[in-house]
Amino acid sequence: EPEVTQTPSHQVTQMGQEVILRCVPISNHLYFYWYRQILGQKVEFLVSFYNNEISEKSEIFDDQFSVERPDGSNFTLKIRSTKLEDSAMYFCASSPYRESYNEQFFGPGTRLTVL
Amino acid sequence: AQSVTQLGSHVSVSEGALVLLRCNYSSSVPPYLFWYVQYPNQGLQLLLKYTSAATLVKGINGFEAEFKKSETSFHLTKPSAHMSDAAEYFCAVRVGTGGFKTIFGAGTRLFVKA
């Protein structure tokens, strides 16, 4: 069964460094998302992406964040200058359609630790 | 704005007992509701979803949920808990704005005692 994959599974970085989190959505999906989950807290929406542009972003998704679909398969989240509070689990998700009754398929997550 | 509220951050049941995890929604339009499960150190797995076709929805691993419009609820149940059900459960609603994002509840951690 097709699934969303994410690399790396765990990333450790120093504060102020740039990180790129990678995701490979399910191949025929058109809508892509990033969410994050700070330890012990709820899963929060960051950004949605369709047709090579951001369709919606949350207040969390400030100028230090960016997303890109550099080729036909990868979807990346870049954090330009990491802060301690960026430490979280980051989930990528994809969906074949926009309609609300379709669930999003989530990847296993990347645990980002900022020291 | 659409949202979901999960009552109880922790629920503990004995193996073989009924599991009941509560979720209430707030929505001005018919909602599309989901339950996800997260096992320790893993991602989010869909348990079941409500899409207005039927009010009683059956999911994987013996779980089911009933949509009750009069109570604005979508509680998750399982007749008999198994040790392997110990996990975090998230109720969620898919919001029909430009990005059609998923809004998650705070989660309920289920403990199963032997």
Side-chain angles (χ1 to χ4, degrees), chain B:
Chain B
Q2 299 192 38
S3 65
V4 289
T5 302
Q6 292 183 244
L7 302 176
S9 59
H10 297 85
V11 170
S12 182
V13 301
S14 298
E15 192 173 22
L18 172 71
V19 175
L20 171 60
L21 305 182
R22 299 177 187 273
C23 173
N24 287 89
Y25 69 89
S26 171
S27 174
S28 57
V29 297
Y32 295 110
L33 297 161
F34 306 84
W35 275 98
Y36 286 88
V37 60
Q38 184 181 32
Y39 297 102
N41 300 313
Q42 294 189 28
L44 297 161
Q45 182 182 6
L46 181 71
L47 273 178
L48 49 80
K49 64 179 180 181
Y50 167 73
T51 59
S52 76
T55 56
L56 182 62
V57 182
K58 294 188 183 298
I60 62 172
N61 301 338
F63 284 94
E64 62 182 37
E66 186 172 7
F67 174 76
K68 291 187 177 180
K69 186 177 179 180
S70 60
E71 298 177 9
T72 61
S73 68
F74 189 56
H75 301 331
L76 182 71
T77 60
K78 182 174 180 178
S80 177
H82 192 272
M83 297 296 286
S84 61
D85 294 327
E88 184 100 23
Y89 292 80
F90 294 94
C91 183
V93 61
R94 187 96 187 264
V95 179
T97 57
F100 293 90
K101 62 193 176 190
T102 298
I103 303 294
F104 289 87
T108 298
R109 182 164 295 279
L110 176 65
F111 297 92
V112 182
K113 301 174 291 186

Side-chain angles (χ1 to χ4, degrees), chain A residues 31 33 35 37 41-45 48 55-56 89 91 95 97-109 111, chain B residues 4 32 34 36 38 41-44 46 49-51 88 90 94-107:
Chain A
Y31 298 87
Y33 309 81
Y35 293 79
Q37 183 184 31
Q41 298 185 25
K42 68 164 72 175
V43 179
E44 301 172 290
F45 168 77
S48 59
S55 47
E56 186 177 357
M89 181 74 90
F91 293 105
S95 179
Y97 310 107
R98 193 179 70 167
E99 285 76 13
S100 300
Y101 52 78
N102 288 289
E103 73 271 24
Q104 294 170 348
F105 294 80
F106 286 82
R111 182 168 297 284
Chain B
V4 289
Y32 295 110
F34 306 84
Y36 286 88
Q38 184 181 32
N41 300 313
Q42 294 189 28
L44 297 161
L46 181 71
K49 64 179 180 181
Y50 167 73
T51 59
E88 184 100 23
F90 294 94
R94 187 96 187 264
V95 179
T97 57
F100 293 90
K101 62 193 176 190
T102 298
I103 303 294
F104 289 87

Side-chain angles (χ1 to χ4, degrees), chain A residues 46-100:
Chain A
L46 289 178
V47 66
S48 59
F49 190 87
Y50 168 71
N51 198 25
N52 280 320
E53 60 182 28
I54 291 173
S55 47
E56 186 177 357
K57 61 184 180 179
S58 73
E59 293 175 353
I60 303 168
F61 195 88
D62 60 23
D63 290 344
Q64 71 162 345
F65 290 92
S66 63
V67 289
E68 189 180 29
R69 189 156 162 82
D71 53 44
S73 60
N74 290 284
F75 179 51
T76 62
L77 174 69
K78 181 192 290 186
I79 308 175
R80 261 179 275 281
S81 178
T82 50
K83 305 171 189 171
L84 294 176
E85 54 265 37
D86 293 328
S87 294
M89 181 74 90
Y90 288 81
F91 293 105
C92 174
S94 69
S95 179
Y97 310 107
R98 193 179 70 167
E99 285 76 13
S100 300

